[in-house]
Amino acid sequence: MNPNDRPQEETTTFHSVLPKCPTGIQGLDEITGGGFPRGRITLVCGGTGCGKTLLAMQFLVSGALHYDEPGLFVSFEETDQELIQNTAPLGWDLPRLIAQKQLILDHVLIERSQLEETGEYDLEGLFIRLDHAIQTIGARRVVLDSIGALFSGFGRTALLRAELCRLFRWLKARGVTAMLTDEPGQTTLSRYGLEEYISDCVIALDHQVSGQVATRRLQVVKYRGSYHGTNQYPFLIGDRGIEVLPITSLRLDYPVSTERVSSGIPRLDTMLDGKGYYRGSTVLISGTAGTGKTTLAAYFADAACRRGECCLYFAFEEAAEQIVRNIRSIGLDLAPWVDSGLLSFAADRPTRFGLEMHLAAIYRQIEAFNPQVVIVDPISNLVTVGSEEEVRLMLARLFDFLKMRQITTLVTNLTRGGSPLETTPVAISSLTDTWIVLRDIEHDGEHNRGLYLLKSRGMAHSNQMREFVLTDQGLELLDVYVGPTGVLTGTARYQQEARERADALLRQRKIEQMQRDLERRRQSLEREIAALRAQFEAEREEIEWLIAEEEQQEQAQSRDREMIARMRRAD
């Protein structure tokens, strides 16, 4: 944390009622439950290059800038001018703080050759010097760097322990919060093996090199009267001082959104319940080399920029211009988004820094750019600078940091050839909300790409594998052919589809032939029906003529009978 950025105000947590003095280093304050014990002694031990002096100076500068607590820095090794020069690159204006009576630098030169141990030798002269400096500016914080040099002239253990205890009692009696630095002994945390026993809080700093990568670690060895984190926590020294990123700061109380954001690929959105990813979720895309992981990441970045959202793209494998050029080959141009400021690339080799430096750099860039979408491509390269467990812990902190800010995150992971696709080298699949697996499908000497959703929390999603192709018009998701012999893709699918089209054509022709035969039969039947109808009509007409003829004969006979009856004059 930069001392120029005001940290949180001092608070007393439920873990302890012991008053705390914030260090101004946010991660360290989280580990210690609020900072160093107020009015007591904190011992910081560590070898060369661990950052003891820097931690001490940052403790004083933060107190002067943000808590109105003047500080006294007593050095037994570095001069005042050396301290000013060494801290100037961090933006700390020590001369200004000195002029404002917020800080005193006091270099006490101790020449061992001039020390004589006598029965009456004590630290009374140092106490007078300290008391005068404290009274001058009303110092609330005091640093002694390092007490190993202060007691280098003492040879008898009994006298050494007595004077140590006397120094500690004197500092406590003044009510100041004191921080003392010391070098480790051969088998002890401190040089003499006594300091850690009479200190109220003991912090051990370590500087290790593994695989040509240096890592600094911090551990709170003891803290009287207070809860504290006991693990070893990586920290780094950057351009803003010491930054501690403890795993204890992770909490599962981040906000959750029901809003959905597009993946940039319509058919993939359809597979994701028709709406895309949840905002603020973490998406993992894994697959072997050449399966299209960066392409899907680029589509997501393009979709975010089209929504007017800022996207921060961390690239650990390719330069920014190379990514833009390569993606342009599939008809996707990211350059306008870069020019407009909506898309920003942060490209770097993982081996340039250690894991903690990368994490701190990512934090800073996110705070500066304030994106709504973050892409990390690929996370698997981080294994080159740390163990799988270290990378997993780093990514866990990163994911929770992004979730707290409601930033939608997409990370890619390179799967080794021959390894199970449903695993990741750093075992972070359980930390992600959506997992998309890309497959290299080999068939008949041909490689094709396949995609399926292994999981997507909180939504109904497709369980169907999709083949996808990359063309100069973009990415297209296709249906794969699942037949008796399995999944067919590429030319095998095209051949099967061609066979199916040929079979469909033959069936269509057969149906058309049957329809023609049926039509001819219909026409023949209609002609037969017409002939029968004509015959029927002829017979009906003949019958009707006979009936009419019969009626005429009857009428004629009736007239004849009437005439005969009249002729006979019958009644």
Side-chain angles (χ1 to χ4, degrees):
M1 178 177 179
N2 189 344
N4 295 322
D5 299 331
R6 184 174 183 85
Q8 295 180 354
E9 295 295 334
E10 176 184 356
T11 58
T12 301
T13 67
F14 70 91
H15 297 297
S16 172
V17 296
L18 182 70
K20 300 296 182 70
C21 182
T23 65
I25 304 171
Q26 184 175 356
L28 180 56
D29 288 341
E30 291 178 4
I31 295 171
T32 56
F36 294 157
R38 182 172 292 282
R40 298 191 183 188
I41 312 299
T42 297
L43 176 67
V44 178
C45 304
T48 303
C50 288
K52 303 184 296 298
T53 301
L54 181 61
L55 176 60
M57 187 61 74
Q58 192 163 347
F59 170 63
L60 293 185
V61 171
S62 296
L65 292 177
H66 305 307
Y67 300 103
D68 193 24
E69 295 186 0
L72 168 62
F73 192 104
V74 180
S75 173
F76 302 106
E77 295 176 345
E78 297 179 86
T79 65
D80 299 354
Q81 191 59 35
E82 288 174 339
L83 288 171
I84 292 173
Q85 291 176 348
N86 294 341
T87 57
L90 302 175
W92 301 345
D93 190 354
L94 300 189
R96 181 175 63 86
L97 293 178
I98 294 173
Q100 295 174 349
K101 298 185 180 299
Q102 291 292 314
L103 179 67
I104 288 181
L105 301 181
D106 189 4
H107 176 232
V108 179
L109 179 62
I110 297 178
E111 292 289 348
R112 183 165 184 171
S113 60
Q114 299 177 2
L115 291 176
E116 291 184 358
E117 183 178 339
T118 67
E120 297 178 355
Y121 180 80
D122 58 29
L123 300 177
E124 192 62 38
L126 176 64
F127 293 157
I128 295 174
R129 190 165 180 169
L130 291 176
D131 187 63
H132 177 266
I134 292 172
Q135 295 296 331
T136 299
I137 62 171
R140 301 285 302 282
R141 303 184 182 201
V142 174
V143 168
L144 301 183
D145 182 37
S146 101
I147 62 171
L150 173 63
F151 291 98
S152 60
F154 289 81
R156 288 187 295 157
T157 303
L159 180 59
L160 172 64
R161 185 180 184 92
E163 289 301 304
L164 269 173
C165 292
R166 185 182 177 202
L167 173 63
F168 280 38
R169 287 195 302 270
W170 187 92
L171 290 170
K172 288 184 178 181
R174 296 300 178 277
V176 296
T177 303
M179 173 183 164
L180 282 59
T181 69
D182 202 359
E183 297 82 15
Q186 293 184 349
T187 59
T188 57
L189 286 174
S190 59
R191 175 181 290 188
Y192 304 107
L194 301 173
E195 300 92 316
E196 61 262 35
Y197 291 101
I198 56 179
S199 299
D200 298 285
C201 176
V202 179
I203 297 176
L205 305 182
D206 190 17
H207 191 192
Q208 300 177 352
V209 179
S210 177
Q212 300 181 353
V213 176
T215 303
R216 292 181 172 88
R217 298 184 183 277
L218 175 150
Q219 181 182 18
V220 181
V221 179
K222 85 171 185 179
Y223 200 137
R224 289 173 178 163
S226 173
Y227 166 88
H228 63 278
T230 57
N231 296 331
Q232 285 190 330
Y233 304 97
F235 73 95
L236 57 90
I237 297 176
D239 57 4
R240 296 190 292 182
I242 288 180
E243 297 180 71
V244 183
L245 307 169
I247 194 68
T248 54
S249 64
L250 304 185
R251 299 183 297 272
L252 296 177
D253 58 354
Y254 44 77
V256 177
S257 174
T258 58
E259 182 185 353
R260 306 287 278 274
V261 294
S262 173
S263 66
I265 304 171
R267 194 162 190 189
L268 180 56
D269 289 344
T270 301
M271 296 175 66
L272 294 162
D273 198 23
K275 301 174 183 177
Y277 311 126
Y278 278 117
R279 182 176 295 282
S281 64
T282 303
V283 181
L284 169 64
I285 299 178
S286 64
T288 55
T291 49
K293 302 181 294 298
T294 300
T295 300
L296 264 68
Y299 266 92
F300 187 46
D302 179 73
C305 294
R306 290 183 184 278
R307 294 192 299 268
E309 300 176 1
C310 292
C311 175
L312 185 54
Y313 195 121
F314 294 96
F316 293 133
E317 225 170 37
E318 299 177 272
E321 292 184 3
Q322 184 178 0
I323 294 175
V324 173
R325 182 204 65 187
N326 294 346
I327 294 301
R328 192 179 289 120
S329 66
I330 60 171
L332 196 62
D333 192 1
L334 300 179
W337 304 128
V338 176
D339 296 338
S340 67
L342 288 175
L343 176 60
S344 177
F345 283 92
D348 219 331
R349 287 291 183 188
T351 51
R352 183 179 178 186
F353 306 119
L355 286 176
E356 299 308 315
M357 181 65 83
H358 277 296
L359 185 57
I362 290 174
Y363 279 9
R364 292 177 192 168
Q365 292 179 73
I366 290 173
E367 289 174 352
F369 192 64
N370 193 27
Q372 287 78 45
V373 170
V374 165
I375 296 173
V376 184
D377 178 31
I379 57 172
S380 46
N381 281 25
L382 295 172
V383 180
T384 59
V385 291
S387 66
E388 293 183 2
E389 178 64 15
E390 290 172 335
V391 174
R392 189 184 70 82
L393 293 176
M394 171 207 168
L395 292 174
R397 283 177 280 171
L398 175 61
F399 291 168
D400 279 3
F401 173 78
L402 295 169
K403 284 179 179 290
M404 289 295 293
R405 290 173 169 255
Q406 282 287 283
I407 296 175
T408 310
T409 307
L410 185 146
V411 298
T412 68
N413 179 77
L414 176 64
T415 304
R416 301 182 183 92
S419 62
L421 294 176
E422 291 78 13
T423 60
T424 56
V426 292
I428 53 89
S429 57
S430 62
L431 302 176
T432 61
D433 302 294
T434 298
W435 187 1
I436 299 174
V437 177
L438 305 182
R439 295 188 57 184
D440 184 15
I441 305 173
E442 182 178 357
H443 184 76
D444 290 339
E446 181 180 84
H447 288 275
N448 296 289
R449 298 178 177 90
L451 175 152
Y452 67 95
L453 285 168
L454 194 59
K455 75 170 184 178
S456 192
R457 292 170 176 164
M459 69 178 73
H461 57 277
S462 172
N463 62 355
Q464 174 66 58
M465 177 182 287
R466 298 286 191 275
E467 180 185 2
F468 70 95
V469 295
L470 300 177
T471 69
D472 56 1
Q473 301 298 317
L475 183 149
E476 183 180 0
L477 283 177
L478 308 173
D479 284 327
V480 296
Y481 180 86
V482 182
T485 59
V487 175
L488 299 180
T489 59
T491 56
R493 176 173 58 82
Y494 292 141
Q495 291 172 358
Q496 179 63 31
E497 290 176 346
R499 286 193 292 269
E500 291 179 353
R501 286 194 296 270
D503 292 342
L505 182 59
L506 289 176
R507 290 194 300 271
Q508 181 63 28
R509 289 179 177 176
K510 185 176 181 180
I511 291 172
E512 291 175 354
Q513 182 63 43
M514 293 176 64
Q515 289 176 337
R516 286 194 295 271
D517 292 343
L518 185 61
E519 178 64 18
R520 285 194 292 270
R521 185 177 177 185
R522 184 188 64 78
Q523 293 175 359
S524 176
L525 288 174
E526 287 182 351
R527 286 193 295 270
E528 292 179 5
I529 291 172
L532 291 173
R533 183 177 287 111
Q535 182 180 356
F536 173 78
E537 288 297 328
E539 292 178 354
R540 184 179 62 78
E541 290 176 357
E542 182 179 359
I543 291 174
E544 289 179 351
W545 182 83
L546 291 175
I547 293 173
E549 186 67 20
E550 182 66 23
E551 289 178 350
Q552 290 177 0
Q553 289 181 1
E554 288 182 357
Q555 291 176 358
Q557 289 176 359
S558 176
R559 287 194 299 271
D560 291 342
R561 284 195 295 272
E562 291 178 354
M563 185 179 296
I564 293 173
R566 284 195 299 271
M567 292 176 61
R568 292 178 178 177
R569 298 185 184 273
D571 45 281

